[in-house]
Amino acid sequence: MGCCFSEPVDFDGEVNLYHFDLHRAVGKGAFGKVRVVEHKRSKKLYALKYIDKARCLRQKAVANIIQERRLLEEIDHPFIVNLRYAFQDDENCFFVLDLMLGGDLRFHLERKGYIQESVVRFWVAELSCALEYLHRQRIIHRDLKPDNILLDAMGHAHITDFNVAIHYSERRLHTSVAGSMAYMAPQVVSKKGYTWHIDWWSLGVTAYELIFHKRPFDGRSTEKMTHSILKDPLRFPENAAQRCSEDGIAALKGFIDRDPTTRLGCRPDGQGIEDIRRHPWFAGIDWDNLESKECQPVFVPDMKQANFDVSHELDEFLMVEKPLTHSKRKANPDLEKMKPELRQLEEQFTVYNFTSMKRMSYYPHNQPIVALGADMDNTDRTMLAHSVTGTVQTIVPTATVVERSQAGSPMLESDDRHHHPPLPNGAYGHGHS
Ligand SMILES: Nc1ncnc2c1ncn2[C@@H]1O[C@H](COP(=O)(O)OP(=O)(O)OP(=O)(O)O)[C@@H](O)[C@H]1O
């Protein structure tokens, strides 16, 4: 959808939606859509995630959005979906993120039925680098699962969705229940206190699910699920040997270890990544080239078809949902007259522009991390030509709609931020679908 606003765009002023051309919708989040955008001056492609302020207020998620915005500002890593710009208009808050045209792992799992061990091993290696980096930045993701891992057009894996991520400190353990139940570590569900070790458990559960298309712990109610996570022995399907090598099974057992002091990746000195690098499952990984994205991914997404659920844009096409349009901000909004949460968004969801602002760390001893750059290479541009062309008004679906099974809605029972009302199933969350 091109901009019909005739005034020239002020690229030297603060970044806003007029700096971008809007293309296809590629995903749907809890508070709005995700669509491909092109920066009008640099011609680079990004993903625009927009958050409907009114919906965000109704679901009492303002603090989460601001927290996500702040955390993303501190992060820049090759295997993380990095923030490039942030801004707001009167209706929405916007995140402009690295574009991932390869789809999320839930999509691929549903499409394929299960994922080959060698593919999962490669992703786990890349994701291990990202997790080690996050933990060094003192961030716990808390919601690692196939839905929150996105592939770029080449097939490299990236962590996204920092909705319930938090900073940790050595001084206290967290007790809030946050994340998606099936992937929660025993230390989360038991409420006895946890820190960054929990992300390695979730990575293990994710890898298990991708290989066997089955989760290791399950239960129809919160109680049964909690019991399963705390007590059920880790079992593997009967045909496990056909899908996974002994080294692979050993690595899964290493990550899905109830004891965080012996869990793979969790050495007390923070050097657990060394144990992963040395683990026989990863023997074939060239770790030095891996982090610089010089290793060829084992699975390359098929870019001739859409790697996302195309029904998202049908909502707009059929006018079920209002399409996103460029709109000018009201000059000088009266903060005094605003609802407190709206005012908080107005004041705290500040503008971010990676080209002019250094990555901020809220921890003084951490050096600011210089942005790595968000170059969209020619491969991505070609992919766009194949799969993301067209404007929202003229879009017709080009691929079969794949049913996405929900992996359990993310939930947050917060002592870290604010309280969220219980969902009908008794879990706590902010109404994610
Ligand atoms: N950077 C990106 N590039 C391409 N697609 C993306 C990108 N970010 C998100 N998407 C797509 O949009 C979907 C929703 O995004 P995301 O999970 O970040 O939203 P959310 O509001 O946090 O939603 P939820 O918490 O319900 O998962 C993703 O599952 C993915 O398919």
Side-chain angles (χ1 to χ4, degrees):
M1 178 165 46
C3 169
C4 52
F5 186 66
S6 53
E7 280 176 41
V9 179
D10 174 16
F11 289 109
D12 297 322
E14 277 189 346
V15 60
N16 61 49
L17 196 58
Y18 289 99
H19 291 203
F20 300 89
D21 280 326
L22 311 178
H23 295 297
R24 287 186 79 159
V26 288
K28 192 168 188 166
F31 309 106
K33 295 237 170 91
V34 178
R35 65 187 334 128
V36 178
V37 293
E38 180 170 356
H39 191 273
K40 288 179 185 166
R41 185 155 75 172
S42 71
K43 303 292 173 209
K44 284 179 182 156
L45 299 172
Y46 298 99
L48 176 78
K49 173 168 160 174
Y50 48 102
I51 313 284
D52 180 322
K53 289 184 187 177
R55 210 184 309 174
C56 179
L57 241 69
R58 277 200 301 277
Q59 298 190 16
K60 301 195 185 332
V62 168
N64 293 69
I65 299 301
I66 291 166
Q67 169 84 346
E68 185 174 12
R69 154 81 186 69
R70 282 195 184 140
L71 286 179
L72 281 170
E73 193 183 319
E74 298 178 29
I75 298 167
D76 198 344
H77 190 271
F79 302 125
I80 290 176
V81 177
N82 300 295
L83 179 70
R84 300 303 168 188
Y85 304 93
F87 50 90
Q88 55 176 303
D89 65 14
D90 296 330
E91 275 179 47
N92 295 297
C93 290
F94 298 98
F95 292 93
V96 179
L97 303 156
D98 292 340
L99 178 62
M100 300 289 135
L101 288 177
D104 63 65
L105 297 195
R106 169 79 48 210
F107 176 88
H108 290 291
L109 181 60
E110 298 307 322
R111 185 187 262 183
K112 287 176 175 296
Y114 72 95
I115 311 279
Q116 269 180 19
E117 179 191 1
S118 57
V119 176
V120 177
R121 175 175 42 214
F122 185 82
W123 290 339
V124 171
E126 291 192 327
L127 296 167
S128 296
C129 299
L131 271 191
E132 194 260 344
Y133 166 82
L134 280 181
H135 297 158
R136 228 179 326 118
Q137 301 299 113
R138 293 164 179 263
I139 292 169
I140 320 177
H141 184 277
R142 300 204 294 184
D143 200 14
L144 208 63
K145 57 181 179 180
D147 318 55
N148 288 339
I149 301 165
L150 303 182
L151 300 181
D152 64 14
M154 311 289 290
H156 294 288
H158 302 75
I159 298 178
T160 192
D161 201 346
F162 286 75
N163 223 268
V164 296
I166 38 160
H167 279 122
Y168 69 85
S169 104
E170 274 83 29
R171 280 178 282 117
R172 80 178 181 108
L173 295 176
H174 292 274
T175 51
S176 56
V177 180
S180 305
M181 192 120 202
Y183 306 87
M184 280 181 196
Q187 290 70 33
V188 181
V189 296
S190 69
K191 303 185 187 182
K192 288 192 180 142
Y194 63 86
T195 183
W196 51 273
H197 308 105
I198 61 163
D199 283 338
W200 293 106
W201 170 281
S202 308
L203 181 64
V205 173
T206 299
Y208 181 111
E209 183 179 14
L210 293 170
I211 294 173
F212 301 117
H213 200 187
K214 178 183 182 306
R215 300 198 196 114
F217 308 108
D218 247 320
R220 282 173 195 276
S221 64
T222 307
E223 289 70 33
K224 285 192 176 135
M225 180 72 94
T226 304
H227 183 271
S228 177
I229 294 168
L230 292 176
K231 294 276 184 280
D232 281 352
L234 176 61
R235 291 203 184 91
F236 291 86
E238 273 176 20
N239 64 349
Q242 288 161 24
R243 298 260 179 93
C244 194
S245 63
E246 279 181 19
D247 288 341
I249 301 274
L252 293 179
K253 284 182 178 164
F255 287 125
I256 312 171
D257 177 349
R258 288 199 172 89
D259 181 351
T261 63
T262 51
R263 190 175 299 155
L264 189 55
C266 297
R267 242 203 261 165
D269 63 2
Q271 297 299 311
I273 188 75
E274 294 307 323
D275 296 334
I276 295 172
R277 281 171 175 246
R278 276 198 293 268
H279 194 284
W281 198 40
F282 298 104
I285 300 283
D286 177 350
W287 288 93
D288 292 335
N289 283 333
L290 188 83
E291 197 144 358
S292 49
K293 282 191 167 165
E294 283 167 49
C295 289
Q296 169 63 39
V298 184
F299 167 74
V300 180
D302 178 0
M303 299 307 296
K304 287 198 275 306
Q305 50 184 322
N307 289 302
F308 48 86
D309 181 343
V310 292
S311 65
H312 302 316
E313 46 194 11
L314 274 181
D315 296 347
E316 286 177 21
F317 185 61
L318 300 173
M319 303 305 276
V320 178
E321 247 176 42
K322 197 172 131 214
L324 177 68
T325 49
H326 298 88
S327 67
K328 262 199 149 174
R329 290 218 73 178
K330 281 193 210 96
N332 306 318
D334 188 349
L335 295 176
E336 297 300 324
K337 287 195 181 141
M338 280 184 180
K339 284 187 184 163
E341 300 94 334
L342 255 189
R343 179 175 176 165
Q344 197 187 351
L345 269 183
E346 191 67 44
E347 292 181 322
Q348 297 182 13
F349 195 95
T350 48
V351 173
Y352 179 75
N353 180 342
F354 84 107
T355 62
S356 54
M357 291 153 102
K358 281 197 168 166
R359 296 280 162 185
M360 269 275 293
S361 172
Y362 289 84
Y363 288 94
H365 61 272
N366 280 357
Q367 291 298 313
I369 306 146
V370 180
L372 291 175
D375 292 303
M376 170 64 55
D377 64 20
N378 285 335
T379 328
D380 281 330
R381 198 161 286 288
T382 318
M383 302 314 172
L384 181 84
H386 285 304
S387 67
V388 204
T389 45
T391 64
V392 278
Q393 286 96 344
T394 57
I395 281 304
V396 281
T398 54
T400 324
V401 176
V402 175
E403 278 294 316
R404 289 154 55 101
S405 85
Q406 287 301 318
S409 308
M411 44 196 265
L412 180 77
E413 188 187 81
S414 182
D415 61 11
D416 306 306
R417 276 171 272 150
H418 64 267
H419 186 74
H420 292 274
L423 296 172
N425 64 3
Y428 288 79
H430 29 87
H432 287 205
S433 56

